[in-house]
Amino acid sequence: MRALILAGGSGTRFWPLSRKSRPKQLLALEGQGTLLRDTLDRRCRRSRS
């Protein structure tokens, strides 16, 4: 099985944290990991179980 992570949108709800130079997928909103890293970690955990 392969996973495709779709990440898009303008991130207006996260302004002023989210900007063109720092999109929302690269923000660390909970803990240390970015939203993208957290998604990748969840996917990896699911593939091991």
Side-chain angles (χ1 to χ4, degrees):
M1 180 187 298
R2 293 178 189 235
L4 174 65
I5 299 172
L6 302 174
S10 59
T12 55
R13 289 181 295 166
F14 292 115
W15 186 88
L17 296 174
S18 178
R19 309 258 185 180
K20 284 188 178 191
S21 62
R22 185 117 171 121
K24 65 185 174 195
Q25 296 84 1
L26 301 179
L27 295 176
L29 298 178
E30 291 185 18
Q32 298 295 318
T34 64
L35 295 175
L36 183 57
R37 177 82 260 167
D38 290 345
T39 301
L40 290 170
D41 290 345
R42 283 192 305 273
R43 175 62 181 110
C44 289
R45 283 194 304 270
R46 284 193 79 182
S47 66
R48 287 188 223 141
S49 51

